């Protein structure tokens, strides 16, 4: 009896293509409501879709999007278009990449040879599980906010900022890694930093600073123009960390000298930016970069000596550049920062009143919070010595999460970042070659943004960029062999 003939292998269903097509149709239909700008976005989406389907361009498009977020912070975060009553920002293009990433994974899981495991190890899977749990809890908070009578626009805005944007962490893990990921990230960060420096120089020459009228007309603080936005100084903080690491680990004296010049330029414009927050970047970014380098290389005494030398070189280069190129502007900025930092009383800062009111709301609703979308109001002491009702944010992302989502929401967010930091510190010990510099720069920038989150609201672009930073850090600490089969 002859053996039965082998049946032909069943062809996989084009689930990924179907999902991608559906996502693109939905996105196109959405932006059509935005008029001419919507048509431009439709063309951009269609072009990106064609690239994603015709060739594996999605990882490179994601890097381009990441660089645009950091380089063009103002248009990506502060110039929305209105769609059905809701603001849509350039940073919201992250939704397109999420649709492409999910579709690509479905397509790969159905037989594409370029695929591979989306998550390389149990630690990555744990981070994604916590991330999905956080998103699910965010959906509950969305319903809670709507049930509490908060403005739907505010509710969906908070959900997008606190729970949807963090999903971007998964993008660099779901999409195949570009070849030479370390170099690609380094070039992206350096290019973004140079563009921000060019924007700063242009504003300095023209005198058109960021939100000029608002910061010079305010009655709540000493008038001072902001040369850069709070997100633009975050970009310079990341570049300062990257360049500091380059001075420490760069190959060859010319490359190290170039990184030193870039670090000094970033530091000078952080001072000239007009933000007290810039002082955090100036102190934290180079320190975190050098400590991280010592940690990765398992250095001890020699590492500390090298770090001290780099800090002295950076301080000398920064002081020299500022004194030679912008002596008057630097002196004026430092004096104004001194007045606002040292001479200003704590009762003149609205954070004192906002934080107190947020903690009061938390004590009233400790378990589930007030629901997202809540608008914080409080009495604030004016310069005339009178109390006036003021509506604003807490200027502290962590207090936002605590009082709006309760203990559980706060613990879920804390767990995500705690597991991430512990895993990255452990896995980074195996990083070498051209991944070390960008990893150190991204991690320094990540810490800086976390620090600023305790003093400022999280802008749209900054929220997306923070998640992408975490995702690229996770991709960089992967052992290189795990991604060889999934590169493009």
């Amino acid at each position: 009896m002859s053996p039965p003939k082998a049946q032909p292998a069943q062809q996989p269903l084009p689930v990924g293509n179907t999902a991608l097509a559906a996502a693109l149709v939905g996105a196109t239909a959405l932006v059509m409501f935005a008029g001419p700008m919507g048509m431009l976005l439709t063309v951009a989406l269609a072009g990106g879709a064609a690239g994603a389907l015709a060739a594996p361009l999605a990882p490179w498009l994601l890097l381009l999007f990441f660089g645009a977020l950091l380089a063009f912070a103002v248009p990506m975060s502060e110039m929305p278009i209105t769609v059905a009553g809701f603001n849509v920002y350039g940073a919201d293009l992250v939704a397109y990449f999420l649709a492409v990433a999910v579709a690509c994974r479905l397509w790969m899981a159905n037989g594409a040879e370029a695929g591979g495991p989306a998550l390389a190890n149990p630690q990555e899977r744990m981070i994604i599980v916590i991330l999905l749990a956080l998103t699910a809890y965010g959906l509950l908070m969305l319903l809670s906010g709507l049930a509490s009578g908060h403005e739907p626009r505010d509710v969906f805005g908070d959900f997008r900022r606190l729970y949807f944007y963090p999903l971007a962490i998964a993008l660099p893990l779901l999409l195949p890694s570009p070849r030479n990921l370390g170099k690609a990230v380094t070039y992206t960060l350096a290019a973004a930093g140079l563009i921000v420096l060019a924007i700063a120089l242009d504003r300095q020459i023209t005198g058109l600073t960021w939100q000029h009228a608002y910061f010079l007309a305010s009655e709540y603080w000493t008038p001072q123009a902001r040369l850069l936005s709070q997100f633009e100084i975050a970009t310079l903080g990341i570049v300062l960390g990257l360049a500091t690491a380059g001075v420490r680990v760069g190959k060859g004296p010319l490359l190290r000298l170039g990184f030193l010049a870039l670090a000094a330029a970033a530091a000078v414009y952080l001072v000239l930016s007009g933000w007290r927050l810039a002082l955090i970047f100036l102190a934290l970014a180079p320190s975190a970069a050098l400590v991280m380098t010592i940690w990765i290389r398992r250095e001890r005494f020699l590492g500390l000596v090298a770090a001290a030398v780099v800090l002295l070189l950076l301080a000398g280069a920064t002081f020299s550049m500022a004194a030679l190129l912008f002596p008057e502007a630097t002196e004026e900025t430092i004096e104004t920062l001194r007045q606002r930092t040292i001479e200003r009383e704590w009762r003149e800062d609205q954070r004192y009143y906002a934080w107190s009111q947020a903690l009061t709301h938390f004590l009233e609703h400790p378990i589930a919070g007030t629901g997202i979308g809540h608008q914080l109001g409080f009495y604030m002491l004016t310069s005339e010595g009178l109390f006036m009702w003021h509506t604003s944010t807490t200027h502290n992302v962590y207090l936002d999460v605590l009082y709006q989502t309760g203990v559980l929401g706060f613990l879920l967010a804390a767990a995500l970042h705690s597991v991430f930091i512990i895993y990255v510190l452990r896995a980074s010990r195996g990083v070498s070659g051209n991944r070390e510099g960008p990893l150190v720069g991204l991690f320094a920038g990540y810490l800086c943004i976390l620090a600023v989150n305790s003093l400022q609201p999280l802008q749209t672009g900054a929220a997306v960029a923070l998640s992408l930073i975490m995702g690229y850090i996770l991709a960089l600490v992967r052992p290189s062999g795990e991604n060889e089969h999934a590169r493009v």
Side-chain angles (χ1 to χ4, degrees):
M1 183 177 179
S2 60
K5 295 183 178 179
Q7 297 295 323
Q10 185 176 2
Q11 296 297 318
L13 295 174
V15 179
N17 293 344
T18 304
L20 182 57
L24 293 172
V25 169
T28 302
L30 179 65
V31 299
M32 286 293 289
F33 290 101
M37 182 59 69
M39 293 299 295
L40 292 176
L41 287 176
T42 302
V43 172
L45 286 169
L53 290 172
L57 292 179
W60 296 104
L61 292 174
L62 180 64
L63 265 176
L64 183 63
F65 172 67
F66 181 45
L69 280 176
L70 298 176
F72 305 105
V74 171
M76 294 293 278
S77 294
E78 303 175 31
M79 297 180 179
I81 59 174
T82 301
V83 179
F86 292 88
N87 288 335
V88 178
Y89 299 85
D92 287 320
L93 279 174
V94 70
Y96 162 70
F97 290 100
L98 284 167
V100 171
V102 171
C104 284
R105 295 317 309 183
L106 289 172
W107 177 39
M108 291 174 179
N110 279 274
E113 295 180 358
L119 304 176
N121 53 59
Q123 290 81 8
E124 285 185 7
R125 289 191 284 272
M126 180 183 297
I127 290 171
I128 297 302
V129 166
I130 297 174
L131 179 63
L132 293 176
L134 186 68
T135 305
Y137 188 76
L139 290 172
L140 292 178
M141 288 297 98
L142 186 148
L143 296 176
S144 173
L146 293 175
S148 299
H150 302 325
E151 181 67 33
R153 179 174 176 174
D154 296 329
V155 173
F156 283 98
D158 279 350
F159 174 81
R160 176 173 58 178
R161 180 170 57 95
L162 297 176
Y163 297 104
F164 178 72
Y165 291 155
L167 291 174
I169 295 172
L171 286 175
L173 305 179
L174 294 176
L175 292 172
S177 294
R179 294 189 182 277
N180 298 318
L181 178 63
K183 286 185 177 180
V185 172
T186 299
Y187 294 150
T188 300
L189 298 180
L194 290 173
I195 291 174
V196 171
L197 289 173
I199 291 172
L201 181 61
D202 177 70
R203 290 178 186 165
Q204 195 174 21
I205 294 173
T206 60
L208 299 176
T209 57
W210 180 67
Q211 296 193 6
H212 184 88
Y214 174 78
F215 282 103
L216 291 183
S218 176
E219 59 182 294
Y220 297 113
W221 52 71
T222 303
Q224 182 184 14
R226 294 332 193 244
L227 186 64
L228 296 168
S229 72
Q230 64 193 56
F231 184 18
E232 287 169 330
I233 66 170
T235 299
L236 290 187
I238 296 171
V239 172
L240 179 56
L242 172 73
T244 303
V247 175
R248 176 68 177 83
V249 304
K251 296 180 180 180
L254 289 179
L255 182 60
R256 293 188 179 188
L257 186 61
F259 275 124
L260 181 62
L262 180 60
V268 167
Y269 274 103
L270 281 171
V271 173
L272 295 177
S273 68
W275 287 92
R276 289 176 295 171
L277 298 173
L279 302 178
I280 295 177
F281 291 106
L282 284 169
L284 185 55
S287 301
L290 292 171
V291 169
M292 188 68 171
T293 302
I294 293 172
W295 172 264
I296 291 174
R297 297 192 161 196
R298 303 174 186 263
E299 297 173 332
R300 294 185 180 179
F301 177 74
L302 290 179
L304 293 174
V305 172
V309 170
V310 170
L311 286 177
L312 288 174
L313 286 173
L314 178 57
T318 301
F319 177 80
S320 300
M321 185 178 292
L324 290 173
L325 299 179
F326 316 111
E328 295 181 3
T330 301
E331 183 179 352
E332 179 183 350
T333 301
I334 291 176
E335 174 59 23
T336 306
L337 287 174
R338 187 192 66 79
Q339 293 175 4
R340 296 180 61 230
T341 304
I342 299 176
E343 296 182 3
R344 185 178 179 184
E345 294 185 10
W346 54 272
R347 287 183 179 274
E348 299 178 32
D349 195 318
Q350 76 173 40
R351 292 176 181 84
Y352 168 73
Y353 305 96
W355 293 357
S356 176
Q357 187 62 36
L359 289 174
T360 299
H361 285 309
F362 167 68
L363 294 176
E364 294 171 349
H365 309 278
I367 305 301
T370 62
I372 57 177
H374 179 271
Q375 293 298 296
L376 189 69
F378 49 88
Y379 284 100
M380 177 179 171
L381 187 67
T382 66
S383 57
E384 290 81 13
L386 302 174
F387 281 94
M388 182 181 68
W389 183 255
H390 193 66
T391 301
S392 180
T393 70
T394 62
H395 281 67
N396 186 307
V397 176
Y398 313 115
L399 280 179
D400 277 341
V401 173
L402 182 64
Y403 96 84
Q404 290 187 0
T405 68
V407 172
L408 183 56
F410 182 83
L411 290 178
L412 278 172
L416 176 65
H417 288 276
S418 298
V419 172
F420 169 79
I421 291 173
I422 292 172
Y423 167 61
V424 169
L425 289 178
R426 290 178 176 176
S428 62
R429 284 288 179 90
V431 170
S432 60
N434 58 23
R435 292 189 174 198
E436 184 177 354
L439 171 61
V440 168
L442 286 176
F443 194 73
Y446 164 75
L447 294 179
C448 287
I449 294 177
L450 288 188
V452 171
N453 282 350
S454 63
L455 297 171
Q456 281 293 115
L458 192 60
Q459 286 189 310
T460 303
V464 178
L466 177 63
S467 299
L468 286 175
I469 285 171
M470 295 173 68
Y472 278 116
I473 288 174
L474 291 173
L476 286 169
V477 299
R478 278 177 168 175
S480 57
E482 292 182 354
N483 253 1
E484 287 295 335
H485 61 284
R487 291 186 175 184
V488 295

